[in-house]
Amino acid sequence: MPTPPEDRELSPYTGWTRAHWERTADRLLLAVRPHASPRGGRIDLPGPRPSWSGPRSDGLEGFARTFLLAALRVAGARGEDPHGHLDRYAAGLAAGTLAPGADGDPDAWPTTTGTRQAVVESASVALGLRLTRPWLWDRLDDRTRQRAADWLLPALAPSPVDNNWWLFGLTVAGFLRDAGIETDRAAATADRSLARIEDWYLGDGWYSDGDNRAFDHYNSWALHLYPVLHAHLAGDRELLDRYGPRLRAHLADHAHLFDTSGAPVPYGRSLVYRFAAAAAPWLGALTGHTPLTPGTTRRLASGSLRYFLDRGATDGRGLLTLGWHGPHPPLVQAYSGPASPYWASKGFLGLLLPPDHPVWTAPEEPLPAERADTVRPLGPTGLLVQTTAADGLVRLHNHGSNHVAAGGPGGDDPGYARFAYATRTGPTGAPDPADNHFALLRPDGTATDRGPAAPLPGGPDRAVSAHTPLPGVRVVSATLARGRAELRAHLVLGAPEGTPVRQTGWAVPDAPGAPASQLHPVHGYGPEVTALPTGATLQGPAPTRTPAVHGATRGPAALFVALASLTGETAPAPAAALAEVEVAEGPELRVRWGDGAVTRLTLPGTAGPTTPSPGPA
């Protein structure tokens, strides 16, 4: 399959056109064909281990998620299917639903009542059927349609998981209503599902993913995607008027999370879905609910797809791997199986836009990270994004995005508990020291977890939070950002006198071309900056190094302040030159940045006056 020529006039940043997207979709689909079961009911991809749902569920996942890709490819071509993708999936649908749950049948799907993960996959099956209805569903025989409907119908029940999973029932309901099957029941499911996620909409384009403070890429590839796409496919103007403006508001933030390289910020869970992060920008263009120009939308999406493909996201067989660039086992959740990465199929949503749409014909335009330095709080999330145009690098400071499992028996979740994430570093993983972490050190030298962080009032250039690393100890933390500079301040309340503390910075590889990680002690720490040896991250192999500064508490309220920087600039000025910091009672910090601007920060939550700790001025 020949590679289309790059078009650097139309696409000066990526060179890619619609033809590259179509070719990539076909290559991904052709690569999974050798792994189909005898009649195509399952696609059993090779992998290091099955998911916790087992091999049969994993085989369904392989079918469902690649079927979604095939549906987007063929629906975007208005039914043209030169590689015969839909014929194979039609046969697989018939085989998989012939005897669901049957032992010994290599094609049989699990039931949605017996295997919880099958509810997730039912949404991809239903959406694929909805998108390709004239070319697949309407051509099936009545018995196959009935068996498929019987398999889908239990997904209309209340969600077994109280988070974005409610939207899988919505998606199944949307197809069944279109097909005239159990329409009243489907309508009730849609209403119930949308009512549940309404409880989690916190404004400014952001949902929490359930009754917790999990703000991550699920906002873009699930919580906005399913309601808005459902409204669009149903032609439901009332729903689109409700959910479309939310998507527009979200995209105003989301677009800042992409590096000039095309990389989205890796934070949260399910990062093996990779370029699925481009689904929401495509959806904004599809529905007209976007603040992005067509050229910026394509630049973002093509840049993201190229970023991963150019860095080894597929193996020698052309299969998407469980990782970020290549395979990276620490990134993989227990629920992820060999086919899980194919939810990246959502990133191909732009193929639904016709070839003459401006999103395909307008010249590419730069990303927000390429246009100007930005410091931007992301709505109610406690997240603060910081970008620099000189290197196109994106950093995300976390003062309130948690996951329900954070701080549990397994300790901090590296995807949520770090104070900062970036498009070109980390995070480190156990047993290595945590990067971008502030910890109290126990007598045996082990560091405390952060656990869930409660956001506190911040501002346009800052984010503030509090957490409890030990019983009776509270830490109030703040990040101020300007340009590439970060001021990290922590007020430790109630710790025993002389408790050792440690602040770590950005983990970077010992390799040419790596970004420069800087950390400078300002107040409360000793003068020495150590380089902790750390291992592989999702960005690449070991070794890496993580800078650290150390101090000890004095008094009931001890203040610790450091300057940090991560930059792709060559020969950057040291972090000490980025700002001058004065500490006064309160505690109040007066920060004069390198460009002359002055910022003040007062840390809340003191229990009496702050005892100044010794350290560099």
Side-chain angles (χ1 to χ4, degrees):
M1 189 181 300
T3 301
E6 291 190 355
D7 186 338
R8 290 288 171 175
E9 183 174 344
L10 179 65
S11 302
Y13 293 90
T14 71
W16 273 32
T17 65
R18 182 186 176 94
H20 292 88
W21 281 83
E22 293 172 337
R23 174 185 176 274
T24 300
D26 288 334
R27 289 189 65 183
L28 289 171
L29 289 166
L30 293 173
V32 304
R33 285 188 178 183
H35 305 283
S37 56
R39 290 171 290 149
R42 301 206 304 254
I43 295 179
D44 298 304
L45 297 180
R49 56 140 184 84
S51 73
W52 63 12
S53 299
R56 176 180 287 174
S57 175
D58 294 346
L60 166 64
E61 187 172 70
F63 176 95
R65 299 188 180 196
T66 59
F67 173 44
L68 178 57
L69 177 57
L72 292 168
R73 172 71 176 96
V74 176
R78 303 301 184 264
E80 293 184 19
D81 188 8
H83 296 282
H85 297 311
L86 290 194
D87 287 344
R88 298 179 66 90
Y89 284 97
L93 178 75
T97 59
L98 183 62
D103 292 334
D105 184 346
D107 287 282
W109 292 356
T111 63
T112 55
T113 52
T115 301
R116 199 167 67 170
Q117 183 65 29
V119 175
V120 181
E121 308 317 319
S122 71
S124 291
V125 172
L127 183 54
L129 292 172
R130 194 176 192 183
L131 292 170
T132 61
R133 184 179 167 192
W135 311 291
L136 197 163
W137 179 261
D138 290 349
R139 297 181 180 182
L140 294 174
D141 64 82
D142 290 341
R143 286 179 299 176
T144 299
R145 282 199 293 261
Q146 185 61 56
R147 289 196 302 266
D150 290 343
W151 184 83
L152 287 168
L153 280 167
L156 297 182
S159 172
V161 180
D162 197 26
N163 63 3
N164 69 84
W165 279 42
W166 284 93
L167 298 175
F168 304 142
L170 167 73
T171 305
V172 172
F175 165 68
L176 292 176
R177 285 189 69 183
D178 281 359
I181 300 168
E182 296 273 5
T183 54
D184 290 344
R185 184 179 169 195
T189 293
D191 291 343
R192 180 177 61 228
S193 300
L194 294 174
R196 186 67 186 109
I197 69 162
E198 199 68 21
D199 294 339
W200 302 324
Y201 184 66
L202 302 183
D204 297 326
W206 287 91
Y207 295 86
S208 62
D209 189 13
D211 290 328
N212 54 66
R213 291 190 55 82
F215 302 105
D216 54 30
H217 289 292
Y218 272 88
N219 263 270
S220 62
W221 62 46
L223 289 158
H224 284 286
L225 176 72
Y226 291 114
V228 176
L229 186 56
H230 167 73
H232 171 73
L233 294 175
D236 190 324
R237 176 52 55 185
E238 181 180 351
L239 284 183
L240 200 56
D241 287 345
R242 181 193 309 170
Y243 295 108
R246 296 180 182 182
L247 173 63
R248 176 186 290 271
H250 179 72
L251 290 176
D253 287 339
H254 185 65
H256 285 83
L257 299 178
F258 290 80
D259 190 291
T260 186
S261 67
V265 177
Y267 78 107
R269 63 192 178 97
S270 299
L271 295 178
V272 298
Y273 304 156
R274 294 182 174 100
F275 44 85
W282 282 131
L283 182 61
L286 181 66
T287 61
H289 289 282
T290 180
L292 307 178
T293 64
T296 302
T297 298
R298 191 176 77 256
R299 191 276 180 260
L300 183 156
S302 292
S304 185
L305 181 58
R306 280 210 67 169
Y307 173 82
F308 289 107
L309 295 181
D310 290 350
R311 289 164 177 79
T314 56
D315 64 16
R317 298 161 293 190
L319 302 176
L320 288 171
T321 60
L322 285 160
W324 187 248
H325 295 163
H328 186 61
L331 193 67
V332 183
Q333 270 77 35
Y335 56 75
S336 298
S340 292
Y342 284 85
W343 237 17
S345 298
K346 296 178 178 183
F348 285 81
L349 194 69
L351 290 179
L352 295 181
L353 292 155
D356 60 354
H357 190 281
V359 82
W360 294 116
T361 61
E364 286 181 343
E365 297 180 44
L367 295 171
E370 297 170 300
R371 294 174 183 156
D373 292 359
T374 299
V375 177
R376 180 187 181 99
L378 303 186
T381 65
L383 297 167
L384 182 76
V385 67
Q386 175 191 17
T387 70
T388 41
D391 54 9
L393 203 153
V394 181
R395 311 146 192 86
L396 190 67
H397 304 284
N398 177 19
H399 287 266
S401 176
N402 303 305
H403 188 263
V404 68
D412 278 343
D413 184 335
Y416 292 94
R418 301 291 194 262
F419 277 95
Y421 299 88
T423 47
R424 302 184 200 175
T425 73
T428 59
D432 292 334
D435 61 322
N436 293 316
H437 186 52
F438 179 82
L440 281 63
L441 300 181
R442 302 182 181 91
D444 63 0
T446 58
T448 55
D449 292 332
R450 185 184 185 189
L456 297 172
D461 63 346
R462 66 196 63 189
V464 186
S465 64
H467 67 280
T468 304
L470 291 172
V473 179
R474 185 169 187 253
V475 178
V476 178
S477 303
T479 300
L480 289 177
R482 189 174 184 88
R484 67 176 176 92
E486 312 159 31
L487 184 137
R488 302 179 178 186
H490 305 278
L491 185 65
V492 180
L493 305 169
E497 182 78 10
T499 301
V501 303
R502 182 180 71 195
Q503 168 76 69
T504 56
W506 299 97
V508 294
D510 291 334
S517 172
Q518 300 174 333
L519 188 64
H520 173 68
V522 172
H523 184 89
Y525 302 108
E528 183 181 4
V529 180
T530 59
L532 303 177
T534 42
T537 71
L538 56 79
Q539 301 286 350
T544 58
R545 297 281 177 179
T546 302
V549 291
H550 294 78
T553 60
R554 290 184 60 191
L559 176 67
F560 300 91
V561 183
L563 286 165
S565 169
L566 178 74
T567 179
E569 297 178 24
T570 56
L578 297 177
E580 297 176 358
V581 183
E582 298 175 4
V583 180
E585 289 295 327
E588 182 179 270
L589 306 180
R590 181 179 184 274
V591 185
R592 180 179 293 276
W593 302 103
D595 61 4
V598 175
T599 300
R600 282 181 165 79
L601 169 68
T602 300
L603 286 172
T606 59
T610 300
T611 301
S613 299

